[in-house]
């Protein structure tokens, strides 16, 4: 029998965390290329440290002149991202940091495996396994610990940006240990918040600042007299961002997905165009798992896809409902294959992924977000409910 009473912990990091600064820049570069050409190829990596940002990777456009123009825009893209995040520290300032641009053209050998031709369909951009997950324990069909960790940091960012006198800085981390009773999240046993502050403040003063906002975003009754708070447990957190700790694209894959409540295939998302199944197939997996739960076919669902570079069809589809399924997993697997074309092109067209919609995904999770009018977070739609029910 599955364990029903336990404590599960997940963490989130803010948009000002060094790794998230890098994810943001990589996705901003991706958006710039997709805005120029929907079929652009991008694999952008960013490294950030004291007063320096290094951008590198492979890019491709059909027009070489446009490729040169876009590469020349990277300097301004970096500064716009850092400015919007809010860094104006002496040793990491959007005006004065040094930008090194090492982007170069995509390998022709990779392109020949991915591109469609008269002889073959468009193939996956790499081999790999991707997982999607959904659970009915929250309205967004996400695990509660990661979803509410994101919510805390998103709220604190809103407060910081809306109040010019705020003492909060861009860099922050939140962690929630959530108590489950009979398999349902019931409250927070331990809460950890580390937030950068721009002027010297005690731990008690920082707790007084953040506490009302944390109470606002958590469900009623989740914080009690028994909840243990750890606010800035090191005592002082004034040096933040890439000046305090170097950042790199793709180092927060569990923060980006399900907070450890589900497997992760290993591939990061940010900076990758949607021919890379690390990204697009992970989005498709979440989309399908969410629709399976929303359709009432299971209370929880983990879905795995696998691909080979240059091969269009997924090598395998696996559904695991963890004992909560209302129909057998094999029937759901057959239904999944019927209701969605899971080739790389099929995924991109179904979810409308060849658009500049990625910069917004770089912080506070790629999943559990509301679908947006311009196609952002399209993988969060629940428009396959009827088709899945009919197929099973």
């Amino acid at each position: 029998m599955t364990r029903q009473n336990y404590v599960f912990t997940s963490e989130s990091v803010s948009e000002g965390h060094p790794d998230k600064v890098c994810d943001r820049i990589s996705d901003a570069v991706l958006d710039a290329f997709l805005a120029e050409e929907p079929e652009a190829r991008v694999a952008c990596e960013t490294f950030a440290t004291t007063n320096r940002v290094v951008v590198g990777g492979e890019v491709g456009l059909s027009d070489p002149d446009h490729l040169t123009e876009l590469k020349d825009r990277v300097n301004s893209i970096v500064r716009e991202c850092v400015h919007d995040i809010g860094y104006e520290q002496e040793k990491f300032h959007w005006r004065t940091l040094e930008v090194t641009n090492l982007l170069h053209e995509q390998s022709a050998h990779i392109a020949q495996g991915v591109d469609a031709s008269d002889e073959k369909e468009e193939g996956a951009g790499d081999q790999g396994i991707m997982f999607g997950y959904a659970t009915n324990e929250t309205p967004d069909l996400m695990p509660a610990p990661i979803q509410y960790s994101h919510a805390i940091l998103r709220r604190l960012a809103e407060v910081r940006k809306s109040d010019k006198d705020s003492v909060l800085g861009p860099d922050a981390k939140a962690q929630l240990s959530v108590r489950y009773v009979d398999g349902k999240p019931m409250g927070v046993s331990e809460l950890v918040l580390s937030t950068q502050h721009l002027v010297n403040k005690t731990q008690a003063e920082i707790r007084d600042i953040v506490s009302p906002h944390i109470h606002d975003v958590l469900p009623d009754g989740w914080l009690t007299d028994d909840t243990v708070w750890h606010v800035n447990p090191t005592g002082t957190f004034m040096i933040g961002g890439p000046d305090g700790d170097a950042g790199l694209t793709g180092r927060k894959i569990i923060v980006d997905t399900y907070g450890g409540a589900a497997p992760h295939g290993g591939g990061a998302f940010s900076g990758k165009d949607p021919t890379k199944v690390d990204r697009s197939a992970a989005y498709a997996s979440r989309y399908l798992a969410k629709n399976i739960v929303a359709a009432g076919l299971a209370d929880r669902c983990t879905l795995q896809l696998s691909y080979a570079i240059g091969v269009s069809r997924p090598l395998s589809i696996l559904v695991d409902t963890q004992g909560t399924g209302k129909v057998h997993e094999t029937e759901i697997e057959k239904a999944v294959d019927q209701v969605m074309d899971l080739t790389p092109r099929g995924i991109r067209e179904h979810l409308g992924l060849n658009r500049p919609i990625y910069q917004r995904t770089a912080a506070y999770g790629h999943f559990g977000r509301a679908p947006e009018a311009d196609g952002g977070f399209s993988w969060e739609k629940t428009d396959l409910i009827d088709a899945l029910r009919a197929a099973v």
Side-chain angles (χ1 to χ4, degrees), residues 290-339:
K290 184 175 184 180
N291 275 271
I292 288 165
V293 173
L297 302 181
D299 295 335
R300 292 191 301 276
C301 178
T302 302
L303 188 145
Q304 185 202 55
L305 299 174
S306 68
Y307 291 85
I309 188 167
V311 179
S312 60
R313 299 295 304 177
L315 308 185
S316 64
I317 302 171
L318 173 70
V319 169
D320 180 3
T321 58
Q322 300 165 33
T324 70
K326 309 304 186 285
V327 296
H328 198 277
E329 282 102 334
T330 57
E331 296 303 314
I332 301 176
E333 289 164 0
K334 293 175 185 176
V336 162
D337 205 25
Q338 291 177 37
V339 302

Side-chain angles (χ1 to χ4, degrees), residues 20-32:
K20 282 291 150 198
V21 172
C22 295
D23 285 345
R24 169 76 174 271
I25 292 168
S26 293
D27 276 334
V29 170
L30 170 62
D31 279 354

Side-chain angles (χ1 to χ4, degrees), residues 33 36-41 59-67 105:
F33 274 79
E36 179 67 31
E37 184 176 302
E39 299 287 337
R41 299 294 166 79
V59 292
L61 289 175
S62 59
D63 187 329
D65 292 336
H66 287 170
L67 179 60
E105 290 187 54

Side-chain angles (χ1 to χ4, degrees), residues 177-257:
S177 297
V178 175
R179 180 170 49 87
Y180 284 73
V181 177
D182 294 330
K184 302 295 183 183
M186 299 299 292
V188 177
S189 59
E190 307 257 350
L191 180 153
V192 184
L193 179 76
S194 296
T195 179
Q196 183 185 9
H197 45 103
L198 305 180
V199 297
N200 198 24
K201 293 285 184 180
T202 66
Q203 292 166 300
E205 289 172 322
I206 295 296
R207 175 169 171 172
D208 287 342
I209 292 169
V210 302
S211 179
H213 306 296
I214 294 174
H215 277 273
D216 279 348
V217 300
L218 291 180
D220 289 343
W222 274 36
L223 294 172
T224 69
D225 291 341
D226 294 328
T227 302
V228 180
W229 292 59
H230 308 271
V231 177
N232 282 8
T234 64
T236 303
F237 183 8
M238 295 184 68
I239 301 172
D243 181 37
D245 189 11
L248 196 65
T249 299
R251 285 204 297 198
K252 289 291 177 285
I253 59 175
I254 300 304
V255 170
D256 285 343
T257 54

Side-chain angles (χ1 to χ4, degrees), residues 61-78:
L61 289 175
S62 59
D63 187 329
D65 292 336
H66 287 170
L67 179 60
T68 301
E69 292 170 11
L70 276 175
K71 286 170 64 179
D72 290 343
R73 284 179 48 197
V74 167
N75 186 297
S76 61
I77 290 171
V78 170

Side-chain angles (χ1 to χ4, degrees), residues 337-378:
D337 205 25
Q338 291 177 37
V339 302
M340 187 175 180
D341 178 357
L342 291 171
T343 64
R345 180 168 293 279
I347 292 171
R348 295 206 318 277
E349 291 178 351
H350 189 111
L351 296 178
L353 298 182
N354 283 107
R355 292 185 264 191
I357 55 174
Y358 297 104
Q359 189 176 169
R360 69 194 75 170
T361 68
Y364 313 120
H366 292 243
F367 307 129
R369 312 281 288 271
E372 297 178 349
D374 66 349
F377 301 103
S378 60

